[in-house]
Amino acid sequence: MLQTADRQGPWLTVVSGPMFAGKSEFLIALYRNLTEGRGRESEYIGVYKHALDKRYGEGEIVSHAGKRLPATPVGSAEELYTRIRSRGERVVLVDEGQFFLDADSDGRYVLVRVVSHLLGRGVWVVVAGLDKDFRGFPFGPMADLLALADERISLFARCAVCGAPATLTQRLVDGKPARVDDPLLLVGAEEAYEPRCRRCHRVEGDPQDARTTLFGFRAPDVSNPLTSG
Ligand SMILES: [Zn+2]
């Protein structure tokens, strides 16, 4: 029995880690515990995943170990919210949270606003996803969700090179490490991924360039009262 299975909303659980760490496996086990172990009514539990994840099936979450759970694919955070509201679900499991990259006009991730609304309505929200992209940078809305979470479940895999605990996802293109200025999402490209530890993780190019110029991770310009005259 998962300890996590007895939470009550409003509550935000974020399950994060690299690829092959067992995030989908965790969601599937949690769902089984909620419906079989604790007798929760399954119609009050929603299971969703971002439609961009088509690794196995459109309408289900499939773990790398081959376990399956029916899930509603959604293309945006707005669509996620609309469906949850219309169904009146009280517990919501969302897989592939990092793919909800849609932002509103002031540049904030819509998924973060949606999760805040759901918490305001007393929902227990569980979001699983990659906390870091292939370069090791915060992946989309996951960083904000981790900061807002009531509970963080941090999973790791085994490094494909040395066997140490792996917290990063290595992207390989034609067997070589991807470049730091490669697109964040490659759809249908010939790339492969494997879990790696920090010591073995490789990115071609200068990460500082991408961090400050391509993706706007620069900290806001706020003067420090301790140092400014
Ligand atoms: Zn390693």
Side-chain angles (χ1 to χ4, degrees), residues 159-165 196-201:
C159 176
V161 177
C162 75
R196 289 201 186 176
C197 70
R198 282 197 185 278
R199 199 180 288 266
C200 299
H201 186 257

Side-chain angles (χ1 to χ4, degrees), residues 63-85:
S63 75
H64 292 289
K67 291 184 183 154
R68 291 161 185 278
L69 176 65
T72 303
V74 288
S76 70
E78 288 288 353
E79 184 187 351
L80 176 71
Y81 187 63
T82 304
R83 286 182 182 265
I84 293 168
R85 277 207 65 171

Side-chain angles (χ1 to χ4, degrees), residues 101-227:
L101 293 166
D102 34 320
D104 57 25
S105 55
D106 60 1
R108 295 178 193 279
Y109 291 110
V110 177
L111 181 62
V112 177
R113 184 159 49 81
V114 163
V115 167
S116 299
H117 282 312
L118 292 171
L119 292 172
R121 298 169 63 85
V123 175
W124 173 18
V125 184
V126 183
V127 180
L130 298 166
D131 51 335
K132 303 176 186 67
D133 63 25
F134 73 96
R135 303 160 304 172
F137 297 168
F139 204 152
M142 293 300 290
D144 286 344
L145 291 179
L146 278 162
L148 293 168
D150 299 290
E151 176 176 34
R152 302 171 195 90
I153 295 165
S154 191
L155 302 175
F156 56 82
R158 285 286 161 193
C159 176
V161 177
C162 75
T167 58
L168 292 153
T169 301
Q170 176 72 51
R171 180 193 283 174
L172 297 166
V173 180
D174 297 327
K176 299 195 187 85
R179 287 194 51 81
V180 71
D181 51 1
D182 274 1
L184 187 57
L185 304 177
L186 288 176
V187 179
E190 287 292 322
E191 87 278 17
Y193 294 93
E194 63 185 29
R196 289 201 186 176
C197 70
R198 282 197 185 278
R199 199 180 288 266
C200 299
H201 186 257
R202 297 283 182 276
V203 182
E204 294 300 319
D206 183 355
Q208 289 308 318
D209 291 347
R211 181 176 291 267
T212 53
T213 60
L214 290 179
F215 298 96
F217 288 165
R218 208 189 296 270
D221 186 16
V222 178
S223 62
N224 182 345
L226 297 177
T227 55

Side-chain angles (χ1 to χ4, degrees), residues 6-29:
D6 63 356
R7 302 292 181 259
Q8 299 288 336
W11 187 265
L12 173 58
T13 303
V14 175
V15 183
S16 67
M19 285 178 74
F20 308 101
K23 299 183 297 298
S24 299
E25 196 97 26
F26 183 95
L27 286 185
I28 293 168

